Amino acid sequence: MSIVQELENAVDIVDLVNRYTNLKKAWANYKAVCPFPWHSEKTPSFIVSPSKQLAYCFWCHKWWGPLKFIMDIENCSFKEAVDILWSITWIETNTFKDKSQDFRNIFSIHKDINNYYTKTLKNYPKMEKYLYDRWITSDDIKAFNLWFADSWLELYNYLKNKWYDDKLIWETWVFLDLKSKKDKFLNRIIFPIVNQRWDFVAFAWRVVNNQMPKYINSPATDLYDKSSILYGLYQARNAIVKKDFVIITEWYMDTIALHRYDFKNTVCVSGTALTEKHIPIIKRLTKKIYLCFDGDEAGQKATISSIEMLKNKDCEVKIIRIKWWKDPDEFLASWWDFNELIKNAFTPIWYYFSILEKKYNLDSLDEKKKALAELLNTLKSYSNNIEVDFYLKEISNKLDIKLEVIYTEYRRLRWKREANPKKIKTNNPNIEDIILAYIIEQPELINIFDKQILFKENLWVDLKNILSSWVEYFEKLDLDKQNFIKWLTINISEKIAESNKENMWEQIKFLVNKINSDTFKKVKQNFVEKMKKEPDNLEILTKYNDFLQISIKNWLK
């Protein structure tokens, strides 16, 4: 029997589906509204058959076995679905034999700790009042399973009566030490942390006075990796898919508050920035991400770190700025409309600009240059050209600088990064290379070359193509040649910066004279050969005379 067959036989499909929707008994089967976010219904059409180990939706016209159901509901790969089923069943397959019993026990003890404390809040009216004063409702408490830790020895004794050994009890990190058996959560509000399948994996606690730090999380364990857990994702998943965007906050209370105000597509990163592990989890549900961190310095650092993390990840990123309030929870309590903040959310470049306009006096030309340099430096690592184009236009509008100037500066900066001289074959450049590099560095030079270069119909093909459409010509070059031209462009830019523009004009004058001189010799030789063949051809003699007049006028001999 294969691992997949073992897993599918071991799991109860009723229990599995019931994790994602509320099943009700209907004769031999079970019935519920369809759990998939693409199907919104009020009348149940989703049937689960325990005898056949199948689920079927009469509206979607689709059926699911346990593995297929997990792949669709979690939007995950086959391998990830196998791992999820194993974490639910804990069957001792050859693949997972060493882990099964340990993981079953550690999940079980976390669940029992939560069960012990679940109803404690009702015994502490002051703690309930504290939460109600923070606008936490009884529905919030139920949805996020909040509780109050009041145990001295009782929790330890409760776990021992469940036959858990001291080693496993200690690995929960709930106790200060096993000698005192004191609960480290004592007199604190507890936020149970669950994975995407509502398995309890850790706990966070919040002080109810002005002690610092406000929040403390369980340390990292085999179950709990802070960099891959998003608080509230289990509750938010369907709303994220339906709305096609996710709001990411910094703290638990912010996420709970936003859910209360029907922004149920909200999750929390537990007081840290977004990580590489979070991104694929989010992208299974949506590619539109709204960052909504606190307005303090730590929140700003977390926002910038998250923006950098999301660069080139094929995501649309916006930043919700809460300007006059400390955090989203405080903003919502003020009765302002959070939808307006979403509507007016900043792009990453707009967010960086909002920071720089406090750092620099943008009425000063010198400081405006510095702000532009910082913005372009941020932008140069973006790989998507459409995204770059959008942000460059935004920079142009924000700094009131012509778009073509912004493009020129950006191109120079990006090419400087890409053109690594160690990787470029720096052969002696020919005249076309130098002309192209000058035009790329300063596009307005195309007009000067066009006016001053003579006998254009007789130019060699590459130079003709450069003068007629240099962008198209450049894009057709192979990568090595493009990098070589970029390297030349950087050299030209640095030489102009080091000296002055007079030297540049001398170089351009030399290039024009060289082209005209070489073309003159080539055209003259052609005329000489034609006149030898047809010495009495008046048309050729007339054209030759015109050619000489132009040449003498431009000092060509």
Side-chain angles (χ1 to χ4, degrees):
M1 187 183 291
S2 71
I3 291 172
V4 172
Q5 287 174 313
E6 282 188 74
L7 289 169
E8 290 213 318
N9 290 341
V11 74
D12 178 356
I13 196 166
V14 174
D15 177 59
L16 177 67
V17 173
N18 206 40
R19 292 166 177 255
Y20 300 91
T21 188
N22 295 318
L23 290 172
K24 292 183 179 178
K25 187 83 167 142
W27 300 100
N29 298 323
Y30 289 82
K31 207 172 193 180
V33 294
C34 184
F36 291 96
W38 62 71
H39 177 195
S40 180
E41 65 176 2
K42 293 182 180 178
T43 305
S45 63
F46 191 83
I47 304 296
V48 178
S49 169
S51 61
K52 295 183 176 68
Q53 278 285 81
L54 291 175
Y56 183 80
C57 179
F58 284 91
W59 188 90
C60 299
H61 300 294
K62 290 184 74 173
W63 64 267
W64 295 268
L67 188 70
K68 189 168 183 287
F69 178 80
I70 287 293
M71 288 175 71
D72 283 356
I73 199 78
E74 295 282 354
N75 193 19
C76 65
S77 67
F78 174 83
K79 182 181 180 302
E80 288 168 325
V82 169
D83 288 342
I84 290 168
L85 277 186
W86 169 73
S87 72
I88 292 169
T89 60
W90 305 115
I91 64 170
E92 294 190 8
T93 65
N94 290 331
T95 308
F96 302 120
K97 191 172 182 179
D98 295 336
K99 289 182 172 183
S100 294
Q101 189 60 44
D102 288 343
F103 270 87
R104 185 189 293 119
N105 288 340
I106 198 73
F107 271 124
S108 176
I109 194 171
H110 277 84
K111 185 176 181 179
D112 280 329
I113 291 168
N114 185 76
N115 289 344
Y116 176 82
Y117 273 131
T118 295
K119 297 178 181 178
T120 52
L121 266 174
K122 292 181 179 178
N123 302 326
Y124 293 91
K126 284 186 178 180
M127 290 302 105
E128 281 193 305
K129 183 178 183 303
Y130 169 80
L131 290 176
Y132 294 152
D133 287 346
R134 293 295 308 269
W135 302 90
I136 298 289
T137 66
S138 56
D139 288 339
D140 298 333
I141 292 168
K142 185 179 178 182
F144 289 89
N145 225 54
L146 308 184
W147 38 265
F148 177 69
D150 66 346
S151 165
W152 285 86
L153 298 177
E154 293 85 354
L155 176 61
Y156 176 81
N157 293 333
Y158 171 79
L159 295 174
K160 291 299 286 184
N161 287 335
K162 289 273 187 179
W163 300 100
Y164 292 113
D165 61 37
D166 280 354
K167 180 178 180 293
L168 192 62
I169 290 172
W170 174 245
E171 285 175 358
T172 64
W173 299 99
V174 169
F175 297 91
L176 287 173
D177 56 67
L178 291 181
K179 186 177 180 182
S180 69
K181 303 176 180 62
K182 184 181 175 183
D183 180 351
K184 68 171 70 168
F185 300 157
L186 191 63
N187 296 326
R188 290 170 170 84
I189 300 293
I190 308 303
F191 299 80
I193 298 171
V194 299
N195 61 19
Q196 294 178 65
R197 295 171 298 283
W198 198 252
D199 299 314
F200 294 92
V201 296
F203 303 98
W205 58 97
R206 190 189 195 283
V207 296
V208 292
N209 49 33
N210 293 324
Q211 284 181 274
M212 294 300 285
K214 255 194 314 191
Y215 290 101
I216 300 178
N217 293 312
S218 295
T221 65
D222 288 339
L223 294 187
Y224 177 56
D225 177 5
K226 189 176 177 181
S227 65
S228 63
I229 292 282
L230 290 162
Y231 180 77
L233 185 61
Y234 178 85
Q235 297 91 331
R237 179 175 47 216
N238 284 352
I240 292 169
V241 174
K242 284 178 181 177
K243 293 187 176 183
D244 193 24
F245 73 96
V246 62
I247 301 168
I248 301 177
T249 68
E250 198 173 349
W251 297 109
Y252 311 106
M253 294 289 262
D254 298 326
T255 292
I256 294 170
L258 281 160
H259 275 251
R260 186 187 323 122
Y261 285 87
D262 206 32
F263 298 97
K264 296 187 186 296
N265 53 327
T266 304
V267 297
C268 155
V269 289
S270 309
T272 184
L274 210 63
T275 70
E276 285 282 2
K277 291 180 182 178
H278 288 139
I279 295 168
I281 295 169
I282 294 167
K283 284 180 69 178
R284 289 175 189 166
L285 308 174
T286 184
K287 290 185 178 181
K288 295 176 185 175
I289 298 171
Y290 284 69
L291 303 173
C292 186
F293 295 159
D294 291 357
D296 58 11
E297 188 178 345
Q300 183 175 298
K301 284 181 180 177
T303 301
I304 291 171
S305 175
S306 300
I307 291 170
E308 291 299 311
M309 188 64 63
L310 287 163
K311 267 186 185 178
N312 304 319
K313 297 293 194 302
D314 191 27
C315 293
E316 182 180 337
V317 182
K318 294 285 184 72
I319 298 90
I320 297 172
R321 286 208 70 193
I322 302 172
K323 198 169 183 180
W324 308 113
W325 290 267
K326 186 176 62 177
D327 53 36
D329 187 17
E330 191 178 277
F331 176 87
L332 291 164
S334 69
W335 298 101
W336 287 83
D337 186 1
F338 195 78
N339 279 308
E340 285 299 310
L341 294 185
I342 294 173
K343 184 180 175 183
N344 297 307
F346 289 11
T347 64
I349 288 299
W350 192 351
Y351 180 77
Y352 282 120
F353 177 81
S354 70
I355 296 170
L356 292 176
E357 66 181 348
K358 294 176 184 176
K359 181 178 177 181
Y360 296 113
N361 172 17
L362 298 181
D363 291 328
S364 160
L365 182 59
D366 186 53
E367 298 212 3
K368 186 179 278 195
K369 286 180 184 177
K370 290 177 183 176
L372 175 60
E374 285 199 38
L375 288 170
L376 294 181
N377 197 52
T378 299
L379 192 57
K380 71 182 181 182
S381 52
Y382 279 90
S383 59
N384 185 287
N385 289 332
I386 295 172
E387 204 171 0
V388 168
D389 182 69
F390 179 85
Y391 292 145
L392 287 174
K393 287 172 182 173
E394 201 168 45
I395 292 171
S396 174
N397 289 332
K398 290 290 178 187
L399 290 177
D400 192 26
I401 298 174
K402 285 183 179 180
L403 187 57
E404 53 266 34
V405 175
I406 299 288
Y407 273 115
T408 301
E409 291 300 313
Y410 170 73
R411 193 183 297 117
R412 181 185 302 151
L413 186 69
R414 186 164 182 175
W415 287 359
K416 191 168 186 176
R417 178 177 68 88
E418 292 174 353
N420 183 351
K422 292 179 182 177
K423 296 181 181 179
I424 296 171
K425 297 174 183 178
T426 54
N427 300 325
N428 289 330
N430 58 38
I431 200 161
E432 297 100 310
D433 296 337
I434 299 169
I435 292 277
L436 181 56
Y438 264 109
I439 291 171
I440 290 170
E441 173 59 23
Q442 298 202 18
E444 65 273 15
L445 290 177
I446 188 75
N447 296 324
I448 292 169
F449 284 122
D450 192 51
K451 284 179 183 178
Q452 294 189 8
I453 291 176
L454 305 173
F455 319 122
K456 293 185 188 65
E457 66 278 9
N458 299 107
L459 293 174
W460 46 103
V461 174
D462 284 344
L463 193 52
K464 269 186 185 177
N465 291 335
I466 289 168
L467 294 177
S468 62
S469 180
W470 67 267
V471 174
E472 189 178 333
Y473 177 84
F474 177 79
E475 288 174 350
K476 288 180 179 178
L477 297 174
D478 63 53
L479 189 59
D480 284 342
K481 187 69 171 180
Q482 284 187 1
N483 282 334
F484 177 59
I485 299 296
K486 289 175 185 179
W487 177 74
L488 278 178
T489 304
I490 293 162
N491 283 347
I492 288 168
S493 173
E494 288 177 352
K495 283 177 183 176
I496 292 170
E498 287 169 6
S499 55
N500 55 57
K501 282 209 168 186
E502 285 185 16
N503 290 339
M504 181 190 79
W505 292 121
E506 287 296 320
Q507 174 73 1
I508 289 168
K509 187 177 178 182
F510 171 81
L511 289 170
V512 169
N513 287 339
K514 179 78 170 77
I515 292 167
N516 287 340
S517 176
D518 289 350
T519 313
F520 167 79
K521 290 173 184 175
K522 174 186 170 184
V523 175
K524 184 178 179 183
Q525 183 61 37
N526 286 340
F527 272 119
V528 169
E529 288 175 4
K530 285 179 182 179
M531 287 186 293
K532 278 182 182 179
K533 290 179 182 178
E534 302 178 68
D536 298 325
N537 190 317
L538 189 59
E539 185 181 351
I540 294 174
L541 289 170
T542 303
K543 286 182 179 179
Y544 181 59
N545 184 60
D546 292 340
F547 163 73
L548 289 177
Q549 293 300 318
I550 294 169
S551 304
I552 292 166
K553 186 177 178 182
N554 289 277
W555 302 92
L556 294 171
K557 295 182 181 180

